[in-house]
Amino acid sequence: QVQLVESGGGLVQAGGSLRLSCAASGRTFSTYTMGWFRQAPGKEREFVVLIARGGSTYYADSVKGRFTISRDNAKNTVYLEMNSLKPEDTAVYYCAAGNYYSTYDPRLQQAYDYWGQGTQVTVSS
């Protein structure tokens, strides 16, 4: 069982930056694929970015070049650095952990077994 706790959300002006953190419990954090998803009001939850256990990353086109994911396995934490924020980035951001052996495409929610409670990010224009 893995518990995930996100932090770092808030209100920021367009063009600003935020850094989200996701702290995980458990001793096997380094084996998980870690992903960030987001859900805007009235919209479905969507993939943002993932980092595999080996460190490879994959970004949604909408955030490529602006967001950076990283992980610190010693601290059981994954980070999402968000720069050049836009109003359309406003959403609840969720951290998720998936087993590395999952057969699902890691960009899909089905690939993840554990989810955090979410943290609100609001970008004002």
PDB file of all heavy atoms in Angstrom, residues 90-123:
ATOM      1  N   THR A  90      -5.051  26.000 -14.766  1.00  0.00           N
ATOM      2  CA  THR A  90      -5.852  25.926 -13.551  1.00  0.00           C
ATOM      3  C   THR A  90      -6.555  24.582 -13.454  1.00  0.00           C
ATOM      4  O   THR A  90      -7.264  24.174 -14.381  1.00  0.00           O
ATOM      5  CB  THR A  90      -6.881  27.062 -13.530  1.00  0.00           C
ATOM      6  OG1 THR A  90      -6.185  28.312 -13.446  1.00  0.00           O
ATOM      7  CG2 THR A  90      -7.821  26.924 -12.339  1.00  0.00           C
ATOM      8  N   ALA A  91      -6.345  23.892 -12.348  1.00  0.00           N
ATOM      9  CA  ALA A  91      -6.901  22.556 -12.168  1.00  0.00           C
ATOM     10  C   ALA A  91      -6.519  22.035 -10.792  1.00  0.00           C
ATOM     11  O   ALA A  91      -5.670  22.624 -10.108  1.00  0.00           O
ATOM     12  CB  ALA A  91      -6.383  21.597 -13.236  1.00  0.00           C
ATOM     13  N   VAL A  92      -7.135  20.922 -10.432  1.00  0.00           N
ATOM     14  CA  VAL A  92      -6.646  20.147  -9.299  1.00  0.00           C
ATOM     15  C   VAL A  92      -5.616  19.171  -9.849  1.00  0.00           C
ATOM     16  O   VAL A  92      -5.902  18.440 -10.801  1.00  0.00           O
ATOM     17  CB  VAL A  92      -7.779  19.393  -8.588  1.00  0.00           C
ATOM     18  CG1 VAL A  92      -7.214  18.540  -7.452  1.00  0.00           C
ATOM     19  CG2 VAL A  92      -8.828  20.373  -8.057  1.00  0.00           C
ATOM     20  N   TYR A  93      -4.441  19.179  -9.247  1.00  0.00           N
ATOM     21  CA  TYR A  93      -3.354  18.327  -9.701  1.00  0.00           C
ATOM     22  C   TYR A  93      -3.224  17.118  -8.780  1.00  0.00           C
ATOM     23  O   TYR A  93      -3.171  17.270  -7.555  1.00  0.00           O
ATOM     24  CB  TYR A  93      -2.046  19.114  -9.735  1.00  0.00           C
ATOM     25  CG  TYR A  93      -1.957  20.029 -10.933  1.00  0.00           C
ATOM     26  CD1 TYR A  93      -2.755  21.160 -11.027  1.00  0.00           C
ATOM     27  CD2 TYR A  93      -1.100  19.746 -11.995  1.00  0.00           C
ATOM     28  CE1 TYR A  93      -2.698  21.992 -12.139  1.00  0.00           C
ATOM     29  CE2 TYR A  93      -1.023  20.562 -13.103  1.00  0.00           C
ATOM     30  CZ  TYR A  93      -1.829  21.689 -13.171  1.00  0.00           C
ATOM     31  OH  TYR A  93      -1.771  22.510 -14.277  1.00  0.00           O
ATOM     32  N   TYR A  94      -3.170  15.960  -9.407  1.00  0.00           N
ATOM     33  CA  TYR A  94      -3.100  14.705  -8.672  1.00  0.00           C
ATOM     34  C   TYR A  94      -1.787  13.989  -8.960  1.00  0.00           C
ATOM     35  O   TYR A  94      -1.365  13.891 -10.116  1.00  0.00           O
ATOM     36  CB  TYR A  94      -4.244  13.782  -9.065  1.00  0.00           C
ATOM     37  CG  TYR A  94      -5.609  14.307  -8.728  1.00  0.00           C
ATOM     38  CD1 TYR A  94      -6.324  15.068  -9.639  1.00  0.00           C
ATOM     39  CD2 TYR A  94      -6.195  14.023  -7.497  1.00  0.00           C
ATOM     40  CE1 TYR A  94      -7.586  15.547  -9.342  1.00  0.00           C
ATOM     41  CE2 TYR A  94      -7.459  14.492  -7.182  1.00  0.00           C
ATOM     42  CZ  TYR A  94      -8.147  15.251  -8.114  1.00  0.00           C
ATOM     43  OH  TYR A  94      -9.392  15.719  -7.804  1.00  0.00           O
ATOM     44  N   CYS A  95      -1.210  13.459  -7.921  1.00  0.00           N
ATOM     45  CA  CYS A  95      -0.047  12.609  -8.028  1.00  0.00           C
ATOM     46  C   CYS A  95      -0.525  11.156  -8.025  1.00  0.00           C
ATOM     47  O   CYS A  95      -1.497  10.824  -7.337  1.00  0.00           O
ATOM     48  CB  CYS A  95       0.866  12.881  -6.822  1.00  0.00           C
ATOM     49  SG  CYS A  95       2.255  11.782  -6.634  1.00  0.00           S
ATOM     50  N   ALA A  96       0.163  10.303  -8.792  1.00  0.00           N
ATOM     51  CA  ALA A  96      -0.245   8.903  -8.869  1.00  0.00           C
ATOM     52  C   ALA A  96       0.984   8.005  -8.967  1.00  0.00           C
ATOM     53  O   ALA A  96       2.008   8.409  -9.519  1.00  0.00           O
ATOM     54  CB  ALA A  96      -1.152   8.682 -10.070  1.00  0.00           C
ATOM     55  N   ALA A  97       0.841   6.805  -8.428  1.00  0.00           N
ATOM     56  CA  ALA A  97       1.927   5.814  -8.467  1.00  0.00           C
ATOM     57  C   ALA A  97       1.429   4.538  -9.126  1.00  0.00           C
ATOM     58  O   ALA A  97       0.341   4.050  -8.804  1.00  0.00           O
ATOM     59  CB  ALA A  97       2.421   5.512  -7.056  1.00  0.00           C
ATOM     60  N   GLY A  98       2.224   4.033 -10.043  1.00  0.00           N
ATOM     61  CA  GLY A  98       1.847   2.814 -10.748  1.00  0.00           C
ATOM     62  C   GLY A  98       2.967   1.799 -10.742  1.00  0.00           C
ATOM     63  O   GLY A  98       4.143   2.153 -10.749  1.00  0.00           O
ATOM     64  N   ASN A  99       2.582   0.555 -10.724  1.00  0.00           N
ATOM     65  CA  ASN A  99       3.589  -0.500 -10.764  1.00  0.00           C
ATOM     66  C   ASN A  99       4.312  -0.497 -12.108  1.00  0.00           C
ATOM     67  O   ASN A  99       3.684  -0.357 -13.156  1.00  0.00           O
ATOM     68  CB  ASN A  99       2.943  -1.857 -10.530  1.00  0.00           C
ATOM     69  CG  ASN A  99       2.483  -2.029  -9.100  1.00  0.00           C
ATOM     70  OD1 ASN A  99       3.286  -1.994  -8.170  1.00  0.00           O
ATOM     71  ND2 ASN A  99       1.180  -2.184  -8.911  1.00  0.00           N
ATOM     72  N   TYR A 100       5.615  -0.698 -12.066  1.00  0.00           N
ATOM     73  CA  TYR A 100       6.415  -0.601 -13.287  1.00  0.00           C
ATOM     74  C   TYR A 100       6.053  -1.686 -14.292  1.00  0.00           C
ATOM     75  O   TYR A 100       6.291  -1.545 -15.481  1.00  0.00           O
ATOM     76  CB  TYR A 100       7.910  -0.676 -12.950  1.00  0.00           C
ATOM     77  CG  TYR A 100       8.377  -2.026 -12.455  1.00  0.00           C
ATOM     78  CD1 TYR A 100       8.839  -2.998 -13.338  1.00  0.00           C
ATOM     79  CD2 TYR A 100       8.370  -2.331 -11.101  1.00  0.00           C
ATOM     80  CE1 TYR A 100       9.269  -4.227 -12.885  1.00  0.00           C
ATOM     81  CE2 TYR A 100       8.786  -3.555 -10.637  1.00  0.00           C
ATOM     82  CZ  TYR A 100       9.234  -4.510 -11.529  1.00  0.00           C
ATOM     83  OH  TYR A 100       9.651  -5.731 -11.074  1.00  0.00           O
ATOM     84  N   TYR A 101       5.478  -2.780 -13.807  1.00  0.00           N
ATOM     85  CA  TYR A 101       5.153  -3.900 -14.684  1.00  0.00           C
ATOM     86  C   TYR A 101       3.733  -3.798 -15.258  1.00  0.00           C
ATOM     87  O   TYR A 101       3.263  -4.727 -15.909  1.00  0.00           O
ATOM     88  CB  TYR A 101       5.320  -5.223 -13.941  1.00  0.00           C
ATOM     89  CG  TYR A 101       4.629  -5.282 -12.599  1.00  0.00           C
ATOM     90  CD1 TYR A 101       3.261  -5.518 -12.516  1.00  0.00           C
ATOM     91  CD2 TYR A 101       5.343  -5.095 -11.426  1.00  0.00           C
ATOM     92  CE1 TYR A 101       2.626  -5.570 -11.292  1.00  0.00           C
ATOM     93  CE2 TYR A 101       4.717  -5.143 -10.197  1.00  0.00           C
ATOM     94  CZ  TYR A 101       3.356  -5.387 -10.125  1.00  0.00           C
ATOM     95  OH  TYR A 101       2.733  -5.443  -8.904  1.00  0.00           O
ATOM     96  N   SER A 102       3.069  -2.680 -15.008  1.00  0.00           N
ATOM     97  CA  SER A 102       1.725  -2.513 -15.558  1.00  0.00           C
ATOM     98  C   SER A 102       1.765  -2.613 -17.084  1.00  0.00           C
ATOM     99  O   SER A 102       2.691  -2.117 -17.734  1.00  0.00           O
ATOM    100  CB  SER A 102       1.148  -1.162 -15.146  1.00  0.00           C
ATOM    101  OG  SER A 102      -0.068  -0.917 -15.825  1.00  0.00           O
ATOM    102  N   THR A 103       0.745  -3.252 -17.649  1.00  0.00           N
ATOM    103  CA  THR A 103       0.681  -3.378 -19.102  1.00  0.00           C
ATOM    104  C   THR A 103      -0.060  -2.220 -19.753  1.00  0.00           C
ATOM    105  O   THR A 103      -0.135  -2.131 -20.975  1.00  0.00           O
ATOM    106  CB  THR A 103      -0.001  -4.703 -19.481  1.00  0.00           C
ATOM    107  OG1 THR A 103      -1.299  -4.744 -18.882  1.00  0.00           O
ATOM    108  CG2 THR A 103       0.814  -5.892 -18.990  1.00  0.00           C
ATOM    109  N   TYR A 104      -0.603  -1.351 -18.926  1.00  0.00           N
ATOM    110  CA  TYR A 104      -1.302  -0.194 -19.471  1.00  0.00           C
ATOM    111  C   TYR A 104      -0.289   0.860 -19.928  1.00  0.00           C
ATOM    112  O   TYR A 104       0.800   0.995 -19.370  1.00  0.00           O
ATOM    113  CB  TYR A 104      -2.219   0.428 -18.421  1.00  0.00           C
ATOM    114  CG  TYR A 104      -3.461  -0.368 -18.125  1.00  0.00           C
ATOM    115  CD1 TYR A 104      -3.566  -1.106 -16.954  1.00  0.00           C
ATOM    116  CD2 TYR A 104      -4.528  -0.378 -19.012  1.00  0.00           C
ATOM    117  CE1 TYR A 104      -4.709  -1.839 -16.660  1.00  0.00           C
ATOM    118  CE2 TYR A 104      -5.677  -1.103 -18.731  1.00  0.00           C
ATOM    119  CZ  TYR A 104      -5.759  -1.826 -17.566  1.00  0.00           C
ATOM    120  OH  TYR A 104      -6.891  -2.554 -17.282  1.00  0.00           O
ATOM    121  N   ASP A 105      -0.696   1.616 -20.928  1.00  0.00           N
ATOM    122  CA  ASP A 105       0.066   2.793 -21.341  1.00  0.00           C
ATOM    123  C   ASP A 105       0.185   3.715 -20.123  1.00  0.00           C
ATOM    124  O   ASP A 105      -0.835   4.063 -19.520  1.00  0.00           O
ATOM    125  CB  ASP A 105      -0.663   3.488 -22.481  1.00  0.00           C
ATOM    126  CG  ASP A 105       0.097   4.656 -23.065  1.00  0.00           C
ATOM    127  OD1 ASP A 105       0.753   5.413 -22.303  1.00  0.00           O
ATOM    128  OD2 ASP A 105       0.027   4.847 -24.288  1.00  0.00           O
ATOM    129  N   PRO A 106       1.382   4.116 -19.721  1.00  0.00           N
ATOM    130  CA  PRO A 106       1.540   4.927 -18.509  1.00  0.00           C
ATOM    131  C   PRO A 106       0.940   6.329 -18.612  1.00  0.00           C
ATOM    132  O   PRO A 106       0.927   7.064 -17.629  1.00  0.00           O
ATOM    133  CB  PRO A 106       3.057   4.985 -18.311  1.00  0.00           C
ATOM    134  CG  PRO A 106       3.624   4.724 -19.651  1.00  0.00           C
ATOM    135  CD  PRO A 106       2.673   3.774 -20.319  1.00  0.00           C
ATOM    136  N   ARG A 107       0.462   6.700 -19.757  1.00  0.00           N
ATOM    137  CA  ARG A 107      -0.253   7.979 -19.886  1.00  0.00           C
ATOM    138  C   ARG A 107      -1.728   7.844 -19.511  1.00  0.00           C
ATOM    139  O   ARG A 107      -2.449   8.832 -19.440  1.00  0.00           O
ATOM    140  CB  ARG A 107      -0.133   8.526 -21.308  1.00  0.00           C
ATOM    141  CG  ARG A 107       1.279   8.933 -21.698  1.00  0.00           C
ATOM    142  CD  ARG A 107       1.390   9.160 -23.181  1.00  0.00           C
ATOM    143  NE  ARG A 107       1.228   7.919 -23.940  1.00  0.00           N
ATOM    144  CZ  ARG A 107       1.297   7.857 -25.259  1.00  0.00           C
ATOM    145  NH1 ARG A 107       1.520   8.949 -25.973  1.00  0.00           N
ATOM    146  NH2 ARG A 107       1.156   6.709 -25.884  1.00  0.00           N
ATOM    147  N   LEU A 108      -2.156   6.604 -19.271  1.00  0.00           N
ATOM    148  CA  LEU A 108      -3.546   6.362 -18.912  1.00  0.00           C
ATOM    149  C   LEU A 108      -3.714   6.217 -17.406  1.00  0.00           C
ATOM    150  O   LEU A 108      -2.842   5.697 -16.716  1.00  0.00           O
ATOM    151  CB  LEU A 108      -4.038   5.076 -19.589  1.00  0.00           C
ATOM    152  CG  LEU A 108      -4.006   5.058 -21.106  1.00  0.00           C
ATOM    153  CD1 LEU A 108      -4.478   3.691 -21.622  1.00  0.00           C
ATOM    154  CD2 LEU A 108      -4.854   6.173 -21.692  1.00  0.00           C
ATOM    155  N   GLN A 109      -4.845   6.649 -16.910  1.00  0.00           N
ATOM    156  CA  GLN A 109      -5.110   6.563 -15.472  1.00  0.00           C
ATOM    157  C   GLN A 109      -5.132   5.115 -14.991  1.00  0.00           C
ATOM    158  O   GLN A 109      -4.783   4.842 -13.833  1.00  0.00           O
ATOM    159  CB  GLN A 109      -6.439   7.240 -15.154  1.00  0.00           C
ATOM    160  CG  GLN A 109      -6.451   8.740 -15.448  1.00  0.00           C
ATOM    161  CD  GLN A 109      -7.774   9.386 -15.101  1.00  0.00           C
ATOM    162  OE1 GLN A 109      -8.232   9.297 -13.969  1.00  0.00           O
ATOM    163  NE2 GLN A 109      -8.376  10.048 -16.072  1.00  0.00           N
ATOM    164  N   GLN A 110      -5.504   4.208 -15.894  1.00  0.00           N
ATOM    165  CA  GLN A 110      -5.589   2.795 -15.502  1.00  0.00           C
ATOM    166  C   GLN A 110      -4.233   2.208 -15.121  1.00  0.00           C
ATOM    167  O   GLN A 110      -4.166   1.151 -14.499  1.00  0.00           O
ATOM    168  CB  GLN A 110      -6.189   1.969 -16.643  1.00  0.00           C
ATOM    169  CG  GLN A 110      -7.638   2.273 -16.953  1.00  0.00           C
ATOM    170  CD  GLN A 110      -7.785   3.316 -18.039  1.00  0.00           C
ATOM    171  OE1 GLN A 110      -7.034   4.303 -18.088  1.00  0.00           O
ATOM    172  NE2 GLN A 110      -8.744   3.113 -18.917  1.00  0.00           N
ATOM    173  N   ALA A 111      -3.156   2.875 -15.517  1.00  0.00           N
ATOM    174  CA  ALA A 111      -1.816   2.374 -15.201  1.00  0.00           C
ATOM    175  C   ALA A 111      -1.415   2.648 -13.766  1.00  0.00           C
ATOM    176  O   ALA A 111      -0.382   2.163 -13.321  1.00  0.00           O
ATOM    177  CB  ALA A 111      -0.793   3.008 -16.140  1.00  0.00           C
ATOM    178  N   TYR A 112      -2.218   3.424 -13.048  1.00  0.00           N
ATOM    179  CA  TYR A 112      -1.849   3.869 -11.706  1.00  0.00           C
ATOM    180  C   TYR A 112      -2.765   3.265 -10.655  1.00  0.00           C
ATOM    181  O   TYR A 112      -3.987   3.247 -10.809  1.00  0.00           O
ATOM    182  CB  TYR A 112      -1.860   5.397 -11.652  1.00  0.00           C
ATOM    183  CG  TYR A 112      -0.834   5.971 -12.595  1.00  0.00           C
ATOM    184  CD1 TYR A 112      -1.146   6.199 -13.932  1.00  0.00           C
ATOM    185  CD2 TYR A 112       0.466   6.224 -12.171  1.00  0.00           C
ATOM    186  CE1 TYR A 112      -0.190   6.679 -14.819  1.00  0.00           C
ATOM    187  CE2 TYR A 112       1.424   6.706 -13.051  1.00  0.00           C
ATOM    188  CZ  TYR A 112       1.088   6.917 -14.375  1.00  0.00           C
ATOM    189  OH  TYR A 112       2.042   7.378 -15.243  1.00  0.00           O
ATOM    190  N   ASP A 113      -2.148   2.786  -9.594  1.00  0.00           N
ATOM    191  CA  ASP A 113      -2.885   2.095  -8.547  1.00  0.00           C
ATOM    192  C   ASP A 113      -3.149   2.962  -7.334  1.00  0.00           C
ATOM    193  O   ASP A 113      -4.064   2.682  -6.554  1.00  0.00           O
ATOM    194  CB  ASP A 113      -2.082   0.865  -8.101  1.00  0.00           C
ATOM    195  CG  ASP A 113      -1.775  -0.064  -9.260  1.00  0.00           C
ATOM    196  OD1 ASP A 113      -2.704  -0.736  -9.734  1.00  0.00           O
ATOM    197  OD2 ASP A 113      -0.611  -0.099  -9.707  1.00  0.00           O
ATOM    198  N   TYR A 114      -2.354   3.982  -7.151  1.00  0.00           N
ATOM    199  CA  TYR A 114      -2.464   4.821  -5.957  1.00  0.00           C
ATOM    200  C   TYR A 114      -2.520   6.279  -6.374  1.00  0.00           C
ATOM    201  O   TYR A 114      -1.786   6.714  -7.272  1.00  0.00           O
ATOM    202  CB  TYR A 114      -1.272   4.582  -5.026  1.00  0.00           C
ATOM    203  CG  TYR A 114      -1.059   3.122  -4.683  1.00  0.00           C
ATOM    204  CD1 TYR A 114      -0.063   2.386  -5.313  1.00  0.00           C
ATOM    205  CD2 TYR A 114      -1.883   2.494  -3.765  1.00  0.00           C
ATOM    206  CE1 TYR A 114       0.115   1.043  -5.013  1.00  0.00           C
ATOM    207  CE2 TYR A 114      -1.704   1.147  -3.460  1.00  0.00           C
ATOM    208  CZ  TYR A 114      -0.702   0.433  -4.091  1.00  0.00           C
ATOM    209  OH  TYR A 114      -0.537  -0.892  -3.785  1.00  0.00           O
ATOM    210  N   TRP A 115      -3.378   7.018  -5.677  1.00  0.00           N
ATOM    211  CA  TRP A 115      -3.616   8.416  -6.006  1.00  0.00           C
ATOM    212  C   TRP A 115      -3.583   9.264  -4.746  1.00  0.00           C
ATOM    213  O   TRP A 115      -4.016   8.825  -3.674  1.00  0.00           O
ATOM    214  CB  TRP A 115      -4.983   8.585  -6.675  1.00  0.00           C
ATOM    215  CG  TRP A 115      -5.042   7.950  -8.026  1.00  0.00           C
ATOM    216  CD1 TRP A 115      -5.277   6.641  -8.305  1.00  0.00           C
ATOM    217  CD2 TRP A 115      -4.855   8.611  -9.285  1.00  0.00           C
ATOM    218  NE1 TRP A 115      -5.256   6.431  -9.674  1.00  0.00           N
ATOM    219  CE2 TRP A 115      -4.989   7.629 -10.292  1.00  0.00           C
ATOM    220  CE3 TRP A 115      -4.595   9.923  -9.659  1.00  0.00           C
ATOM    221  CZ2 TRP A 115      -4.873   7.935 -11.652  1.00  0.00           C
ATOM    222  CZ3 TRP A 115      -4.480  10.230 -11.002  1.00  0.00           C
ATOM    223  CH2 TRP A 115      -4.617   9.245 -11.982  1.00  0.00           C
ATOM    224  N   GLY A 116      -3.100  10.486  -4.909  1.00  0.00           N
ATOM    225  CA  GLY A 116      -3.180  11.450  -3.832  1.00  0.00           C
ATOM    226  C   GLY A 116      -4.530  12.133  -3.817  1.00  0.00           C
ATOM    227  O   GLY A 116      -5.379  11.876  -4.677  1.00  0.00           O
ATOM    228  N   GLN A 117      -4.703  13.029  -2.869  1.00  0.00           N
ATOM    229  CA  GLN A 117      -5.998  13.707  -2.701  1.00  0.00           C
ATOM    230  C   GLN A 117      -6.126  14.913  -3.612  1.00  0.00           C
ATOM    231  O   GLN A 117      -7.214  15.466  -3.769  1.00  0.00           O
ATOM    232  CB  GLN A 117      -6.173  14.130  -1.233  1.00  0.00           C
ATOM    233  CG  GLN A 117      -5.477  15.430  -0.832  1.00  0.00           C
ATOM    234  CD  GLN A 117      -3.965  15.326  -0.755  1.00  0.00           C
ATOM    235  OE1 GLN A 117      -3.386  14.227  -0.817  1.00  0.00           O
ATOM    236  NE2 GLN A 117      -3.297  16.459  -0.607  1.00  0.00           N
ATOM    237  N   GLY A 118      -5.011  15.333  -4.195  1.00  0.00           N
ATOM    238  CA  GLY A 118      -5.035  16.466  -5.108  1.00  0.00           C
ATOM    239  C   GLY A 118      -4.691  17.782  -4.433  1.00  0.00           C
ATOM    240  O   GLY A 118      -4.918  17.968  -3.239  1.00  0.00           O
ATOM    241  N   THR A 119      -4.138  18.684  -5.218  1.00  0.00           N
ATOM    242  CA  THR A 119      -3.831  20.033  -4.738  1.00  0.00           C
ATOM    243  C   THR A 119      -4.271  21.032  -5.803  1.00  0.00           C
ATOM    244  O   THR A 119      -4.040  20.824  -6.996  1.00  0.00           O
ATOM    245  CB  THR A 119      -2.331  20.179  -4.406  1.00  0.00           C
ATOM    246  OG1 THR A 119      -2.094  21.466  -3.830  1.00  0.00           O
ATOM    247  CG2 THR A 119      -1.440  20.007  -5.635  1.00  0.00           C
ATOM    248  N   GLN A 120      -4.916  22.097  -5.370  1.00  0.00           N
ATOM    249  CA  GLN A 120      -5.485  23.076  -6.306  1.00  0.00           C
ATOM    250  C   GLN A 120      -4.407  24.030  -6.801  1.00  0.00           C
ATOM    251  O   GLN A 120      -3.659  24.607  -6.011  1.00  0.00           O
ATOM    252  CB  GLN A 120      -6.595  23.871  -5.618  1.00  0.00           C
ATOM    253  CG  GLN A 120      -7.200  24.975  -6.475  1.00  0.00           C
ATOM    254  CD  GLN A 120      -8.038  24.428  -7.622  1.00  0.00           C
ATOM    255  OE1 GLN A 120      -8.861  23.535  -7.431  1.00  0.00           O
ATOM    256  NE2 GLN A 120      -7.836  24.971  -8.825  1.00  0.00           N
ATOM    257  N   VAL A 121      -4.380  24.223  -8.100  1.00  0.00           N
ATOM    258  CA  VAL A 121      -3.538  25.233  -8.730  1.00  0.00           C
ATOM    259  C   VAL A 121      -4.450  26.179  -9.488  1.00  0.00           C
ATOM    260  O   VAL A 121      -5.235  25.741 -10.342  1.00  0.00           O
ATOM    261  CB  VAL A 121      -2.515  24.596  -9.691  1.00  0.00           C
ATOM    262  CG1 VAL A 121      -1.786  25.674 -10.493  1.00  0.00           C
ATOM    263  CG2 VAL A 121      -1.519  23.750  -8.918  1.00  0.00           C
ATOM    264  N   THR A 122      -4.367  27.448  -9.160  1.00  0.00           N
ATOM    265  CA  THR A 122      -5.182  28.458  -9.821  1.00  0.00           C
ATOM    266  C   THR A 122      -4.268  29.524 -10.415  1.00  0.00           C
ATOM    267  O   THR A 122      -3.447  30.101  -9.698  1.00  0.00           O
ATOM    268  CB  THR A 122      -6.166  29.112  -8.835  1.00  0.00           C
ATOM    269  OG1 THR A 122      -6.996  28.103  -8.253  1.00  0.00           O
ATOM    270  CG2 THR A 122      -7.054  30.121  -9.551  1.00  0.00           C
ATOM    271  N   VAL A 123      -4.419  29.754 -11.703  1.00  0.00           N
ATOM    272  CA  VAL A 123      -3.608  30.743 -12.403  1.00  0.00           C
ATOM    273  C   VAL A 123      -4.518  31.864 -12.864  1.00  0.00           C
ATOM    274  O   VAL A 123      -5.437  31.644 -13.658  1.00  0.00           O
ATOM    275  CB  VAL A 123      -2.876  30.120 -13.598  1.00  0.00           C
ATOM    276  CG1 VAL A 123      -1.949  31.153 -14.251  1.00  0.00           C
ATOM    277  CG2 VAL A 123      -2.092  28.891 -13.177  1.00  0.00           C
TER     278      VAL A 123
END
